Amino acid sequence: MDVIPDFQPLYKQVYDVLVRRIAEGAWLPAQSLPSEQALAAELRVSQGTVRKALDALAAENLVQRHQGKGTYVAEHTQEHALFRFFRLAKPNTDGERVTPESSTARCKRRLATAAEAGKLHLPKSTNVIEIRRIRLIEGVPAVSERIVVPLKLFPELDHQPALPNTLYSLYQSVYGISISVAKEELSAVISNKSDEKELGIKPGTPLLKVDRVAIAIGGQRAELRVSRCDTRNVVYAIDVN
Amino acid sequence: MDVIPDFQPLYKQVYDVLVRRIAEGAWLPAQSLPSEQALAAELRVSQGTVRKALDALAAENLVQRHQGKGTYVAEHTQEHALFRFFRLAKPNTDGERVTPESSTARCKRRLATAAEAGKLHLPKSTNVIEIRRIRLIEGVPAVSERIVVPLKLFPELDHQPALPNTLYSLYQSVYGISISVAKEELSAVISNKSDEKELGIKPGTPLLKVDRVAIAIGGQRAELRVSRCDTRNVVYAIDVN
DNA sequence: AAGTGGTCTAGACCACCAA
DNA sequence: TGGTGGTCTAGACCACTTA
C-alpha cells in the first residue's frame, strides 16, 4: 500500500498516486480500477476524496467513468485517438471531423538533429526512428507526415508488421505509453518539391504546417510530428474557451 | 427568488440559474456573487450543491474564485482576453504569447452576405458592422483582421471613440456581451494584393487564415472574424488534450 | 439482488483576506 | 475578528449495470 506523503491536499495526493500507477501500468487500458470504496479503504481516505481525484482524472481523459459499471483506464482506440488528436474537419460544419486513411509508411533509423533532441528533451545525437507517410482524405492525398520517436522508447517500432492509422493506440497497447497532451504550433508554408510529389499538388500550393510534440502521461516527451496539410478541402478546427 | 424546475441534477439547475443571471447582468463583470451560503439559502439547496455549480462555472472561466475573498464574475480585461483568444506565440517557446498592437480601425455598415448570415445564425441581409484593422507584432504588421458583428447587438460600435486592442473587453463593458467560446477553422492561403499592401509582404507569401465565430455566454453568435496571419515570425500555438 | 458511480446533504476544520 | 472559499468526512438515497 502506498503511504501518502503530506504537503498537498489529500485528493491531489490521491490523484498523483493514481496517475503514477496508471503510468506504471498497474491497471492496463480498458481495465477497471478498484471501486471508490476499495480505493478509499486502501488509501485510508474518505470515498468523497477518492471521488474528487477520480473526477479530476476523468476530466483529463485518463479514465472513463460509467455509472453502475466502474472506472476504466482510458483506451486509445483507433476512433477515440483519431477524434482527439486529428483535428481536420470539413469547413462550415461546426467541426465535424473527417476520417483519414494512411498510406503504407516508410521507416528509417537515424540520429536526432539538435533541434529534434531539444524538442524531445533528449541528449544530442540520440537514436530515433523516423516514419513518413501520407494520409488520404476521401481517397485524396491531403497530409504528409514526418514522425520522429526515440528508438529507446519504441524499440522495433520500425519492424512492427503494420502500423495502424492511429499510431497512439499502438504506442499504448504495445509500448505502454499513453499520450495525454500534444503541443502544436501551426504556420503556413509553401509546398516544396517533395510535398508536390507526395500530395500530387501544383507547385506553390499553400500548406498548413503543424508541428506537434506529443507528451505521455508521466510527462515524457514521446513523439515529434510535422504534418503538412493541403487545406483546400479540409480545415483545422478547434474550439477556444 | 427563482423556483428551480425539476428534471436535471440540482447542481446543474443551480448552474443554469447562475449562468442566466450572469448573462442577464444581474452581477456585472468584476463584481462578486453572493457567498455559497447565501446562494444555498436563497435557492434552498445545500452549500455543497452550490459549490459544485460554482466550480463548474469557474472551470469554464465564467467566474473566478478567490479563497478568503469571494466569487467574481470573470472580467475580460485587455490582458486576460488577449491571452485567452489571441493564440500567436513565438516558435519553440512552449507557447509563450506575443502581445500585438492594433492599427486604427476602419469601420463601415453594410448588409451581411448569405455566408455571414448563416455563420451568425441571422436572417439574410441583416445589418452588420465591418471592421478592418492590422495588428502589429513587435512593430511589424503581421495580421490583417476583418471583423463582422450584427449592428443590432452592437449599436454605434462604429462610432465608439477608440476601439481597444481587444474588442472583447469592449463588448463586455459597453454592450454587456461576454464572449465565452470561439470556434475556429484554420487553413493556409496565398496572400492577395490587399494582404500584400496591408502587411507589406511579397506576392505569393503563404498566410495562415483563421475563421472565427465568437459565441457569447447565452449561446448568441456575436462576431465573425477572419484573420490572415504572416507566420514567418510567429506561430499559432495550442495544446490538445 | 448486489455492486457501482451519481447526487445531495450536513457539518467540521483550515487558510486566506479584509476591516 | 468575522466572513470567505478550500478541504475532508460520513452517510443517505438514487440510477444504472450485471448476474
Side-chain angles (χ1 to χ4, degrees), chain A residues 88-127:
Chain A
L88 293 185
K90 291 190 177 174
N92 302 317
T93 55
D94 273 341
E96 180 195 318
R97 300 287 217 294
V98 294
T99 44
E101 312 150 60
S102 295
S103 73
T104 48
R106 288 169 292 144
C107 302
K108 65 176 179 187
R109 298 187 180 192
R110 59 174 175 79
L111 297 181
T113 65
E116 288 165 349
K119 288 186 186 177
L120 286 172
H121 291 185
L122 292 173
K124 291 188 177 179
S125 302
T126 309
N127 285 297

mmCIF file of all heavy atoms in Angstrom, chain A residues 88-127:
data_model
loop_
_atom_site.group_PDB
_atom_site.id
_atom_site.type_symbol
_atom_site.label_atom_id
_atom_site.label_comp_id
_atom_site.label_asym_id
_atom_site.label_seq_id
_atom_site.Cartn_x
_atom_site.Cartn_y
_atom_site.Cartn_z
ATOM 1 N N LEU A 88 -8.669 17.618 -38.324
ATOM 2 C CA LEU A 88 -9.116 18.107 -39.624
ATOM 3 C C LEU A 88 -10.612 17.848 -39.789
ATOM 4 O O LEU A 88 -11.117 16.790 -39.434
ATOM 5 C CB LEU A 88 -8.322 17.445 -40.748
ATOM 6 C CG LEU A 88 -6.844 17.840 -40.765
ATOM 7 C CD1 LEU A 88 -6.146 17.240 -41.974
ATOM 8 C CD2 LEU A 88 -6.671 19.350 -40.764
ATOM 9 N N ALA A 89 -11.294 18.840 -40.316
ATOM 10 C CA ALA A 89 -12.747 18.766 -40.437
ATOM 11 C C ALA A 89 -13.173 19.413 -41.746
ATOM 12 O O ALA A 89 -12.394 20.114 -42.396
ATOM 13 C CB ALA A 89 -13.419 19.479 -39.265
ATOM 14 N N LYS A 90 -14.396 19.172 -42.107
ATOM 15 C CA LYS A 90 -14.930 19.862 -43.274
ATOM 16 C C LYS A 90 -15.272 21.292 -42.887
ATOM 17 O O LYS A 90 -15.774 21.538 -41.796
ATOM 18 C CB LYS A 90 -16.182 19.156 -43.781
ATOM 19 C CG LYS A 90 -15.883 17.800 -44.380
ATOM 20 C CD LYS A 90 -17.080 17.215 -45.095
ATOM 21 C CE LYS A 90 -16.689 15.899 -45.720
ATOM 22 N NZ LYS A 90 -17.832 15.196 -46.310
ATOM 23 N N PRO A 91 -15.030 22.219 -43.774
ATOM 24 C CA PRO A 91 -15.336 23.618 -43.456
ATOM 25 C C PRO A 91 -16.829 23.814 -43.185
ATOM 26 O O PRO A 91 -17.665 23.103 -43.761
ATOM 27 C CB PRO A 91 -14.920 24.382 -44.725
ATOM 28 C CG PRO A 91 -14.013 23.458 -45.459
ATOM 29 C CD PRO A 91 -14.452 22.080 -45.109
ATOM 30 N N ASN A 92 -17.144 24.751 -42.304
ATOM 31 C CA ASN A 92 -18.530 25.170 -42.052
ATOM 32 C C ASN A 92 -19.444 24.050 -41.602
ATOM 33 O O ASN A 92 -20.614 24.015 -41.951
ATOM 34 C CB ASN A 92 -19.134 25.809 -43.311
ATOM 35 C CG ASN A 92 -18.317 26.989 -43.752
ATOM 36 O OD1 ASN A 92 -17.907 27.792 -42.930
ATOM 37 N ND2 ASN A 92 -18.069 27.069 -45.038
ATOM 38 N N THR A 93 -18.918 23.111 -40.845
ATOM 39 C CA THR A 93 -19.778 22.036 -40.356
ATOM 40 C C THR A 93 -19.712 21.968 -38.844
ATOM 41 O O THR A 93 -19.983 20.924 -38.263
ATOM 42 C CB THR A 93 -19.337 20.677 -40.927
ATOM 43 O OG1 THR A 93 -17.954 20.496 -40.617
ATOM 44 C CG2 THR A 93 -19.540 20.616 -42.406
ATOM 45 N N ASP A 94 -19.339 23.073 -38.207
ATOM 46 C CA ASP A 94 -19.218 23.085 -36.751
ATOM 47 C C ASP A 94 -18.226 22.047 -36.260
ATOM 48 O O ASP A 94 -18.392 21.483 -35.185
ATOM 49 C CB ASP A 94 -20.575 22.866 -36.091
ATOM 50 C CG ASP A 94 -21.307 24.189 -35.922
ATOM 51 O OD1 ASP A 94 -20.649 25.241 -35.971
ATOM 52 O OD2 ASP A 94 -22.534 24.162 -35.747
ATOM 53 N N GLY A 95 -17.217 21.776 -37.064
ATOM 54 C CA GLY A 95 -16.144 20.899 -36.601
ATOM 55 C C GLY A 95 -16.389 19.415 -36.780
ATOM 56 O O GLY A 95 -15.779 18.603 -36.092
ATOM 57 N N GLU A 96 -17.248 19.055 -37.700
ATOM 58 C CA GLU A 96 -17.486 17.625 -37.963
ATOM 59 C C GLU A 96 -16.237 17.012 -38.590
ATOM 60 O O GLU A 96 -15.809 17.384 -39.666
ATOM 61 C CB GLU A 96 -18.690 17.479 -38.911
ATOM 62 C CG GLU A 96 -19.035 16.054 -39.257
ATOM 63 C CD GLU A 96 -19.979 16.011 -40.462
ATOM 64 O OE1 GLU A 96 -20.911 16.848 -40.514
ATOM 65 O OE2 GLU A 96 -19.784 15.183 -41.337
ATOM 66 N N ARG A 97 -15.669 16.053 -37.887
ATOM 67 C CA ARG A 97 -14.387 15.526 -38.318
ATOM 68 C C ARG A 97 -14.473 14.649 -39.568
ATOM 69 O O ARG A 97 -15.497 14.014 -39.819
ATOM 70 C CB ARG A 97 -13.762 14.686 -37.200
ATOM 71 C CG ARG A 97 -13.522 15.432 -35.939
ATOM 72 C CD ARG A 97 -12.356 16.394 -36.071
ATOM 73 N NE ARG A 97 -11.615 16.443 -34.838
ATOM 74 C CZ ARG A 97 -12.110 16.933 -33.713
ATOM 75 N NH1 ARG A 97 -13.311 17.428 -33.681
ATOM 76 N NH2 ARG A 97 -11.380 16.919 -32.623
ATOM 77 N N VAL A 98 -13.382 14.604 -40.291
ATOM 78 C CA VAL A 98 -13.262 13.647 -41.387
ATOM 79 C C VAL A 98 -12.312 12.549 -40.935
ATOM 80 O O VAL A 98 -11.449 12.758 -40.096
ATOM 81 C CB VAL A 98 -12.712 14.325 -42.657
ATOM 82 C CG1 VAL A 98 -13.704 15.337 -43.178
ATOM 83 C CG2 VAL A 98 -11.375 14.985 -42.386
ATOM 84 N N THR A 99 -12.488 11.353 -41.474
ATOM 85 C CA THR A 99 -11.621 10.238 -41.093
ATOM 86 C C THR A 99 -10.641 9.954 -42.223
ATOM 87 O O THR A 99 -11.051 9.739 -43.359
ATOM 88 C CB THR A 99 -12.455 8.977 -40.800
ATOM 89 O OG1 THR A 99 -13.456 8.844 -41.812
ATOM 90 C CG2 THR A 99 -13.135 9.079 -39.465
ATOM 91 N N PRO A 100 -9.365 9.951 -41.886
ATOM 92 C CA PRO A 100 -8.344 9.742 -42.904
ATOM 93 C C PRO A 100 -7.979 8.269 -43.054
ATOM 94 O O PRO A 100 -8.228 7.472 -42.157
ATOM 95 C CB PRO A 100 -7.161 10.500 -42.322
ATOM 96 C CG PRO A 100 -7.303 10.280 -40.847
ATOM 97 C CD PRO A 100 -8.782 10.171 -40.565
ATOM 98 N N GLU A 101 -7.406 7.927 -44.176
ATOM 99 C CA GLU A 101 -6.703 6.649 -44.300
ATOM 100 C C GLU A 101 -5.217 6.959 -44.359
ATOM 101 O O GLU A 101 -4.828 8.085 -44.633
ATOM 102 C CB GLU A 101 -7.103 5.931 -45.598
ATOM 103 C CG GLU A 101 -8.596 5.865 -45.842
ATOM 104 C CD GLU A 101 -8.882 5.864 -47.353
ATOM 105 O OE1 GLU A 101 -8.419 4.945 -48.027
ATOM 106 O OE2 GLU A 101 -9.533 6.813 -47.827
ATOM 107 N N SER A 102 -4.406 5.940 -44.118
ATOM 108 C CA SER A 102 -2.961 6.150 -44.185
ATOM 109 C C SER A 102 -2.354 5.283 -45.265
ATOM 110 O O SER A 102 -2.748 4.133 -45.445
ATOM 111 C CB SER A 102 -2.306 5.800 -42.846
ATOM 112 O OG SER A 102 -2.744 6.677 -41.835
ATOM 113 N N SER A 103 -1.409 5.854 -45.980
ATOM 114 C CA SER A 103 -0.637 5.032 -46.912
ATOM 115 C C SER A 103 0.339 4.199 -46.101
ATOM 116 O O SER A 103 0.540 4.415 -44.914
ATOM 117 C CB SER A 103 0.137 5.923 -47.874
ATOM 118 O OG SER A 103 1.213 6.526 -47.177
ATOM 119 N N THR A 104 0.954 3.213 -46.740
ATOM 120 C CA THR A 104 1.994 2.463 -46.039
ATOM 121 C C THR A 104 3.132 3.411 -45.707
ATOM 122 O O THR A 104 3.465 4.303 -46.474
ATOM 123 C CB THR A 104 2.531 1.318 -46.919
ATOM 124 O OG1 THR A 104 2.812 1.830 -48.218
ATOM 125 C CG2 THR A 104 1.540 0.181 -46.982
ATOM 126 N N ALA A 105 3.716 3.187 -44.531
ATOM 127 C CA ALA A 105 4.718 4.109 -44.032
ATOM 128 C C ALA A 105 6.113 3.651 -44.436
ATOM 129 O O ALA A 105 6.349 2.476 -44.718
ATOM 130 C CB ALA A 105 4.611 4.188 -42.517
ATOM 131 N N ARG A 106 7.008 4.615 -44.471
ATOM 132 C CA ARG A 106 8.421 4.287 -44.664
ATOM 133 C C ARG A 106 9.161 4.661 -43.394
ATOM 134 O O ARG A 106 9.003 5.761 -42.878
ATOM 135 C CB ARG A 106 8.992 5.073 -45.845
ATOM 136 C CG ARG A 106 8.491 4.585 -47.206
ATOM 137 C CD ARG A 106 8.884 5.563 -48.284
ATOM 138 N NE ARG A 106 8.161 6.813 -48.115
ATOM 139 C CZ ARG A 106 8.674 8.016 -48.374
ATOM 140 N NH1 ARG A 106 9.927 8.117 -48.776
ATOM 141 N NH2 ARG A 106 7.956 9.097 -48.214
ATOM 142 N N CYS A 107 9.959 3.734 -42.884
ATOM 143 C CA CYS A 107 10.676 3.972 -41.638
ATOM 144 C C CYS A 107 12.182 3.953 -41.885
ATOM 145 O O CYS A 107 12.669 3.237 -42.748
ATOM 146 C CB CYS A 107 10.369 2.880 -40.615
ATOM 147 S SG CYS A 107 8.627 2.718 -40.219
ATOM 148 N N LYS A 108 12.883 4.732 -41.102
ATOM 149 C CA LYS A 108 14.325 4.552 -41.057
ATOM 150 C C LYS A 108 14.848 4.959 -39.690
ATOM 151 O O LYS A 108 14.186 5.686 -38.955
ATOM 152 C CB LYS A 108 15.012 5.366 -42.162
ATOM 153 C CG LYS A 108 14.887 6.859 -42.021
ATOM 154 C CD LYS A 108 15.694 7.564 -43.114
ATOM 155 C CE LYS A 108 15.542 9.078 -42.987
ATOM 156 N NZ LYS A 108 16.163 9.793 -44.118
ATOM 157 N N ARG A 109 16.012 4.451 -39.358
ATOM 158 C CA ARG A 109 16.663 4.843 -38.105
ATOM 159 C C ARG A 109 17.767 5.836 -38.422
ATOM 160 O O ARG A 109 18.444 5.722 -39.438
ATOM 161 C CB ARG A 109 17.277 3.618 -37.425
ATOM 162 C CG ARG A 109 16.239 2.591 -37.041
ATOM 163 C CD ARG A 109 16.847 1.482 -36.227
ATOM 164 N NE ARG A 109 15.808 0.506 -35.882
ATOM 165 C CZ ARG A 109 15.972 -0.461 -34.997
ATOM 166 N NH1 ARG A 109 17.128 -0.568 -34.355
ATOM 167 N NH2 ARG A 109 14.999 -1.297 -34.732
ATOM 168 N N ARG A 110 17.910 6.787 -37.540
ATOM 169 C CA ARG A 110 18.984 7.769 -37.713
ATOM 170 C C ARG A 110 19.245 8.448 -36.380
ATOM 171 O O ARG A 110 18.641 8.092 -35.357
ATOM 172 C CB ARG A 110 18.621 8.775 -38.789
ATOM 173 C CG ARG A 110 17.333 9.555 -38.509
ATOM 174 C CD ARG A 110 17.144 10.637 -39.575
ATOM 175 N NE ARG A 110 15.877 11.335 -39.439
ATOM 176 C CZ ARG A 110 15.623 12.298 -38.568
ATOM 177 N NH1 ARG A 110 16.556 12.662 -37.686
ATOM 178 N NH2 ARG A 110 14.460 12.906 -38.545
ATOM 179 N N LEU A 111 20.123 9.444 -36.379
ATOM 180 C CA LEU A 111 20.382 10.209 -35.155
ATOM 181 C C LEU A 111 19.506 11.451 -35.163
ATOM 182 O O LEU A 111 19.245 12.031 -36.222
ATOM 183 C CB LEU A 111 21.864 10.607 -35.081
ATOM 184 C CG LEU A 111 22.851 9.439 -34.994
ATOM 185 C CD1 LEU A 111 24.283 9.958 -34.903
ATOM 186 C CD2 LEU A 111 22.519 8.564 -33.776
ATOM 187 N N ALA A 112 19.053 11.848 -33.991
ATOM 188 C CA ALA A 112 18.233 13.057 -33.887
ATOM 189 C C ALA A 112 19.067 14.279 -34.236
ATOM 190 O O ALA A 112 20.253 14.342 -33.917
ATOM 191 C CB ALA A 112 17.680 13.187 -32.476
ATOM 192 N N THR A 113 18.428 15.242 -34.894
ATOM 193 C CA THR A 113 19.102 16.525 -35.096
ATOM 194 C C THR A 113 19.107 17.272 -33.765
ATOM 195 O O THR A 113 18.403 16.899 -32.819
ATOM 196 C CB THR A 113 18.357 17.369 -36.131
ATOM 197 O OG1 THR A 113 17.073 17.702 -35.594
ATOM 198 C CG2 THR A 113 18.183 16.607 -37.443
ATOM 199 N N ALA A 114 19.884 18.333 -33.723
ATOM 200 C CA ALA A 114 19.944 19.122 -32.484
ATOM 201 C C ALA A 114 18.560 19.661 -32.147
ATOM 202 O O ALA A 114 18.127 19.623 -30.988
ATOM 203 C CB ALA A 114 20.940 20.272 -32.638
ATOM 204 N N ALA A 115 17.836 20.150 -33.156
ATOM 205 C CA ALA A 115 16.508 20.714 -32.912
ATOM 206 C C ALA A 115 15.556 19.642 -32.391
ATOM 207 O O ALA A 115 14.792 19.876 -31.445
ATOM 208 C CB ALA A 115 15.959 21.317 -34.197
ATOM 209 N N GLU A 116 15.597 18.462 -32.993
ATOM 210 C CA GLU A 116 14.708 17.385 -32.552
ATOM 211 C C GLU A 116 15.024 16.970 -31.126
ATOM 212 O O GLU A 116 14.122 16.787 -30.296
ATOM 213 C CB GLU A 116 14.845 16.191 -33.497
ATOM 214 C CG GLU A 116 14.218 16.438 -34.854
ATOM 215 C CD GLU A 116 14.655 15.419 -35.895
ATOM 216 O OE1 GLU A 116 15.595 14.637 -35.624
ATOM 217 O OE2 GLU A 116 14.055 15.427 -36.989
ATOM 218 N N ALA A 117 16.295 16.805 -30.846
ATOM 219 C CA ALA A 117 16.694 16.414 -29.493
ATOM 220 C C ALA A 117 16.214 17.454 -28.485
ATOM 221 O O ALA A 117 15.707 17.113 -27.416
ATOM 222 C CB ALA A 117 18.202 16.252 -29.422
ATOM 223 N N GLY A 118 16.325 18.719 -28.853
ATOM 224 C CA GLY A 118 15.869 19.778 -27.954
ATOM 225 C C GLY A 118 14.385 19.688 -27.688
ATOM 226 O O GLY A 118 13.945 19.751 -26.536
ATOM 227 N N LYS A 119 13.611 19.509 -28.734
ATOM 228 C CA LYS A 119 12.165 19.466 -28.555
ATOM 229 C C LYS A 119 11.715 18.234 -27.778
ATOM 230 O O LYS A 119 10.700 18.260 -27.088
ATOM 231 C CB LYS A 119 11.475 19.480 -29.923
ATOM 232 C CG LYS A 119 11.542 20.827 -30.624
ATOM 233 C CD LYS A 119 10.711 20.805 -31.898
ATOM 234 C CE LYS A 119 10.882 22.095 -32.686
ATOM 235 N NZ LYS A 119 10.134 22.060 -33.956
ATOM 236 N N LEU A 120 12.465 17.143 -27.904
ATOM 237 C CA LEU A 120 12.094 15.916 -27.193
ATOM 238 C C LEU A 120 12.749 15.831 -25.821
ATOM 239 O O LEU A 120 12.570 14.828 -25.112
ATOM 240 C CB LEU A 120 12.488 14.689 -28.026
ATOM 241 C CG LEU A 120 11.611 14.386 -29.245
ATOM 242 C CD1 LEU A 120 12.216 13.288 -30.094
ATOM 243 C CD2 LEU A 120 10.202 14.001 -28.805
ATOM 244 N N HIS A 121 13.520 16.862 -25.466
ATOM 245 C CA HIS A 121 14.244 16.857 -24.190
ATOM 246 C C HIS A 121 15.155 15.642 -24.081
ATOM 247 O O HIS A 121 15.180 14.958 -23.047
ATOM 248 C CB HIS A 121 13.260 16.899 -23.004
ATOM 249 C CG HIS A 121 12.553 18.214 -22.883
ATOM 250 N ND1 HIS A 121 11.710 18.509 -21.834
ATOM 251 C CD2 HIS A 121 12.563 19.312 -23.666
ATOM 252 C CE1 HIS A 121 11.219 19.730 -22.002
ATOM 253 N NE2 HIS A 121 11.713 20.232 -23.114
ATOM 254 N N LEU A 122 15.897 15.390 -25.144
ATOM 255 C CA LEU A 122 16.814 14.255 -25.161
ATOM 256 C C LEU A 122 18.225 14.772 -25.369
ATOM 257 O O LEU A 122 18.423 15.878 -25.882
ATOM 258 C CB LEU A 122 16.475 13.316 -26.328
ATOM 259 C CG LEU A 122 15.161 12.554 -26.246
ATOM 260 C CD1 LEU A 122 14.914 11.812 -27.552
ATOM 261 C CD2 LEU A 122 15.204 11.583 -25.077
ATOM 262 N N PRO A 123 19.226 13.996 -24.982
ATOM 263 C CA PRO A 123 20.599 14.389 -25.316
ATOM 264 C C PRO A 123 20.802 14.391 -26.836
ATOM 265 O O PRO A 123 20.083 13.729 -27.565
ATOM 266 C CB PRO A 123 21.453 13.307 -24.647
ATOM 267 C CG PRO A 123 20.524 12.195 -24.337
ATOM 268 C CD PRO A 123 19.165 12.779 -24.182
ATOM 269 N N LYS A 124 21.793 15.145 -27.264
ATOM 270 C CA LYS A 124 22.042 15.237 -28.708
ATOM 271 C C LYS A 124 22.426 13.885 -29.291
ATOM 272 O O LYS A 124 22.975 13.034 -28.606
ATOM 273 C CB LYS A 124 23.158 16.256 -28.972
ATOM 274 C CG LYS A 124 22.718 17.662 -28.669
ATOM 275 C CD LYS A 124 23.727 18.710 -29.101
ATOM 276 C CE LYS A 124 23.148 20.093 -28.811
ATOM 277 N NZ LYS A 124 24.074 21.172 -29.185
ATOM 278 N N SER A 125 22.130 13.728 -30.555
ATOM 279 C CA SER A 125 22.529 12.529 -31.301
ATOM 280 C C SER A 125 21.943 11.243 -30.731
ATOM 281 O O SER A 125 22.564 10.187 -30.787
ATOM 282 C CB SER A 125 24.058 12.402 -31.361
ATOM 283 O OG SER A 125 24.601 13.550 -31.954
ATOM 284 N N THR A 126 20.771 11.345 -30.128
ATOM 285 C CA THR A 126 20.076 10.140 -29.686
ATOM 286 C C THR A 126 19.565 9.386 -30.909
ATOM 287 O O THR A 126 19.266 9.973 -31.940
ATOM 288 C CB THR A 126 18.877 10.525 -28.802
ATOM 289 O OG1 THR A 126 19.327 11.426 -27.793
ATOM 290 C CG2 THR A 126 18.251 9.308 -28.150
ATOM 291 N N ASN A 127 19.470 8.064 -30.774
ATOM 292 C CA ASN A 127 18.898 7.274 -31.861
ATOM 293 C C ASN A 127 17.393 7.488 -31.930
ATOM 294 O O ASN A 127 16.698 7.431 -30.914
ATOM 295 C CB ASN A 127 19.177 5.782 -31.647
ATOM 296 C CG ASN A 127 20.620 5.439 -31.952
ATOM 297 O OD1 ASN A 127 21.062 5.586 -33.093
ATOM 298 N ND2 ASN A 127 21.356 5.020 -30.932
#
